[in-house]
């Protein structure tokens, strides 16, 4: 496979998450590629960031990449998009608000793009029914320098219960199978999905070195099935199934 390909996911794995939700916490402005790759199949895209502008005054999400064939058919904002971050009993809280855009595909089917202004770890626990998130997308994040330092792939104890054991919450929210897209940001030491973090390899090269290989970790089978564009290292797509 040539390195010039910027993303690759076999149709079998896109079909496996068709009609499901994609959740990308701490997404910032990184929405174009997730939309480009998954818009043909995903029903609800959730991008979450505490830095989305007050008022949620933003350009339509699908303007973020060229050559698209989707039509914006509706837009609404709910929650208080002017809310500010509050300090509560030892944790920070931002009352959530959501900018919800609806798009139609050429075949008449539709999907939604939700940009949620609020904490991603709270969104994970509150916005999704169990077994509904088909794609968990997370890259470009870090412990400092504007990164969230939120450990979605670990079970850390936190005094505020919704912030505790995020990995168990994530697993509960995932469909079976699900895809996890990660560049290894904020993953635990020695975890298979962190093995290329900060490496200079292209995503395609990293994928070739572990294509279709399986790892057992956390009671799950992790199979490397594809790749998307680099962030803090190559970004791989992992199929996750209960072992
Ligand atoms: C380093 S940037 C990375 C953005 C994006 N993932 C990328 O690769 O371009 C981290 C983002 O996380 C947001 N952020 C920090 N803590 C957060 C949290 N707990 N929940 C949601 N967003 C958060 C910041 O506002 C910032 O936009």
């Amino acid at each position: 496979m040539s390195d010039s390909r910027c993303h690759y996911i076999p149709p079998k794995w896109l079909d496996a998450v068709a009609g499901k939700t994609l959740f990308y916490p701490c997404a910032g402005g990184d929405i174009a590629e997730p939309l480009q790759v998954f818009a043909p199949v995903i029903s609800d895209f959730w991008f979450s960031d505490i830095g989305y502008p007050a008022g949620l005054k933003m350009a339509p999400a699908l303007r973020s990449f060229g050559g698209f064939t989707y039509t914006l058919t509706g837009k609404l904002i709910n929650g208080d998009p002017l809310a500010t971050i509050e300090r509560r009993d030892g944790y920070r809280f931002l009352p959530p608000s959501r900018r919800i855009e609806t798009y139609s595909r050429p075949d008449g089917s539709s999907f939604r793009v939700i940009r949620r202004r609020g904490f991603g770890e709270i969104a994970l626990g509150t916005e999704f029914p169990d077994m509904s998130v088909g794609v968990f997308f997370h890259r470009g994040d870090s412990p400092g320098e504007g990164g969230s330092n939120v450990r979605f792939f670990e079970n850390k104890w936190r005094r505020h219960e919704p912030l505790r054991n995020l990995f168990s919450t994530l697993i509960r929210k995932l469909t079976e199978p699900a895809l996890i897209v990660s560049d290894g940001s904020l993953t635990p030491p020695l975890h298979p999905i962190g093995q290329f973090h900060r490496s200079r390899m292209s995503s395609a090269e990293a994928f070739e070195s572990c294509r279709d290989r399986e790892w057992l970790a956390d009671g799950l089978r992790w199979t490397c099935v594809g790749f998307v564009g680099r962030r803090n290292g190559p970004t791989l797509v992992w199929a996750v199934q209960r072992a």
Side-chain angles (χ1 to χ4, degrees):
M1 182 172 308
S2 106
D3 278 6
S4 63
R5 291 184 71 163
C6 50
H7 52 78
Y8 165 75
I9 303 175
K12 162 188 160 182
W13 287 109
L14 288 174
D15 289 347
V17 296
K20 311 295 187 205
T21 292
L22 177 149
F23 177 44
Y24 183 173
C26 313
D30 182 24
I31 66 172
E33 192 181 39
L35 288 168
Q36 195 169 10
V37 173
F38 289 103
V41 293
I42 284 292
S43 288
D44 279 331
F45 289 86
W46 285 77
F47 298 98
S48 153
D49 204 289
I50 52 172
Y52 285 154
L56 283 171
K57 292 198 176 79
M58 306 164 93
L62 265 290
R63 230 179 247 166
S64 55
F65 65 93
F68 58 86
T69 51
Y70 308 110
T71 311
L72 179 63
T73 56
K75 185 204 97 178
L76 68 90
I77 290 177
N78 68 24
D80 177 4
L82 298 175
T84 52
I85 292 182
E86 304 162 5
R87 184 151 281 285
R88 293 183 176 178
D89 196 24
Y91 66 94
R92 294 186 306 155
F93 182 75
L94 177 58
S97 52
R98 302 158 200 83
R99 179 188 171 99
I100 303 170
E101 294 171 358
T102 306
Y103 291 87
S104 71
R105 301 187 181 95
D107 68 2
S109 64
S110 64
F111 63 94
R112 301 190 306 164
V113 179
I114 298 126
R115 277 172 288 179
R116 182 187 189 274
R117 184 170 179 263
F119 283 92
E121 56 275 47
I122 298 290
L124 176 68
T126 57
E127 297 282 12
F128 311 109
D130 290 355
M131 299 195 75
S132 66
V133 177
V135 182
F136 182 76
F137 201 112
H138 185 238
R139 65 180 174 182
D141 208 352
S142 56
E145 302 153 358
S148 73
N149 197 25
V150 175
R151 308 285 165 160
F152 288 102
F153 298 103
E154 288 180 69
N155 281 327
K156 296 259 187 209
W157 192 86
R158 294 282 183 270
R159 195 143 56 95
H160 183 49
E161 200 275 330
L163 306 180
R164 201 181 297 161
N165 297 336
L166 291 179
F167 187 65
S168 293
T169 306
L170 172 60
I171 295 307
R172 207 173 66 239
K173 300 296 173 184
L174 292 180
T175 55
E176 166 80 20
L179 299 177
I180 290 185
V181 183
S182 169
D183 65 354
S185 292
L186 298 170
T187 54
L190 304 179
H191 197 282
I193 60 170
Q195 62 188 291
F196 300 105
H197 189 50
R198 301 281 179 195
S199 135
R200 288 171 188 269
M201 291 167 103
S202 70
S203 296
E205 286 167 334
F207 176 61
E208 279 311 316
S209 75
C210 64
R211 180 181 197 137
D212 295 330
R213 278 178 56 196
E214 291 183 358
W215 280 263
L216 289 177
D218 325 301
L220 301 169
R221 182 155 21 102
W222 301 75
T223 313
C224 182
V225 299
F227 66 89
V228 296
R230 280 177 54 88
R231 219 65 179 175
N232 295 341
T235 306
L236 296 176
V237 181
W238 298 85
V240 178
Q241 287 161 289
R242 280 140 187 109

